[in-house]
Amino acid sequence: MKKIALILIVFCTTSITAQENMDKEKLPFYEVADYSEVSYTAGSVAARMIDGLGFRYRWATEDLRDEDLVYRITDSSRTSIETIDHILGLSRIIVNATNQVPTDFTIEQPSLTFKEKRKETLANLERASRNLITAQTLEDFNIQFIYKGGESDYPFWNNINGPIADALWHCGQVVMLRRASGNPLRKGVSFLKGQVKE
């Protein structure tokens, strides 16, 4: 009887761990894809920048605990979840530009859980990368904004030094905050190679 109970416990634990691993694997940017057969074009270079962002975001936000999400360094600084909210907004601007649609700030966004925010951010970055990978030019991927007071339009240049660079900056802040809250980034993530050593 004890053997059966032990087998059931091991089986359940293995099943739960396997399910958790499967859930993690479904999200994009576990590793950065190999581009050995892709030539350097404006689109492929921009896509690779976004892949680097997606990879960094994936691992910066992996296994964050509730206490990590609400942690802030000072009373005037952002919490991790506030920083993640900002990155989500930036990812919407990035993907909308590559979908050639405006980002409409007059539309209220739904309330999402952390997991939903993370999943949407990664999906937005994956879609943006796919939209850009085969583009020979970036001239058609302007950032367009709709505000209550009007509209504005910027070339893709501004996407590079604006939302993309800003999101990279904030990924670093999430990593710093999680380290300060006692949950450092896991070992084995190589940002140079875009790979994870298990």
Side-chain angles (χ1 to χ4, degrees), residues 1-12:
M1 190 63 144
K2 288 182 181 179
K3 287 182 181 180
I4 293 172
L6 182 61
I7 290 169
L8 284 174
I9 290 170
V10 170
F11 176 75
C12 289

Side-chain angles (χ1 to χ4, degrees), residues 85-105:
D85 288 341
H86 183 55
I87 297 169
L88 171 59
L90 295 169
S91 76
R92 288 173 176 159
I93 295 168
I94 294 166
V95 74
N96 286 343
T98 68
N99 283 331
Q100 300 176 316
V101 298
T103 298
D104 190 342
F105 291 109

Side-chain angles (χ1 to χ4, degrees), residues 89-175:
L90 295 169
S91 76
R92 288 173 176 159
I93 295 168
I94 294 166
V95 74
N96 286 343
T98 68
N99 283 331
Q100 300 176 316
V101 298
T103 298
D104 190 342
F105 291 109
T106 66
I107 299 172
E108 189 172 335
Q109 296 297 326
S111 179
L112 302 173
T113 66
F114 163 64
K115 286 184 179 180
E116 291 168 333
K117 292 172 186 180
R118 184 171 185 252
K119 184 176 180 179
E120 182 186 334
T121 301
L122 289 167
N124 288 344
L125 298 175
E126 181 181 43
R127 172 58 57 102
S129 176
R130 286 183 182 170
N131 289 344
L132 293 170
I133 190 70
T134 58
Q136 296 300 309
T137 178
L138 301 174
E139 293 174 359
D140 295 330
F141 301 111
N142 289 0
I143 299 176
Q144 304 166 59
F145 295 128
I146 298 175
Y147 305 100
K148 288 182 180 175
E151 300 179 9
S152 60
D153 191 283
Y154 299 93
F156 193 83
W157 289 116
N158 294 77
N159 209 342
I160 296 170
N161 63 268
I164 296 170
D166 198 25
L168 284 163
W169 173 284
H170 292 299
C171 281
Q173 290 175 331
V174 173
V175 172

Side-chain angles (χ1 to χ4, degrees), residues 179-190:
R179 184 177 296 133
S181 64
N183 185 13
L185 190 69
R186 67 166 279 182
K187 294 188 186 307
V189 179
S190 171

Side-chain angles (χ1 to χ4, degrees), residues 31-101:
E31 292 188 325
V32 177
D34 179 21
Y35 283 143
S36 60
E37 296 182 20
V38 177
S39 62
Y40 288 98
T41 65
S44 66
V45 170
R48 187 65 169 201
M49 288 177 63
I50 292 170
D51 290 348
L53 167 57
F55 183 67
R56 280 165 173 74
Y57 179 83
R58 163 78 187 249
W59 291 105
T61 58
E62 185 80 8
D63 297 325
L64 287 178
R65 308 166 303 183
D66 290 341
E67 57 264 39
D68 301 319
L69 294 173
V70 297
Y71 183 81
R72 71 173 80 235
I73 300 231
T74 67
D75 290 340
S76 62
S77 64
R78 283 182 178 154
T79 62
S80 289
I81 195 63
E82 289 169 338
T83 306
I84 287 164
D85 288 341
H86 183 55
I87 297 169
L88 171 59
L90 295 169
S91 76
R92 288 173 176 159
I93 295 168
I94 294 166
V95 74
N96 286 343
T98 68
N99 283 331
Q100 300 176 316
V101 298

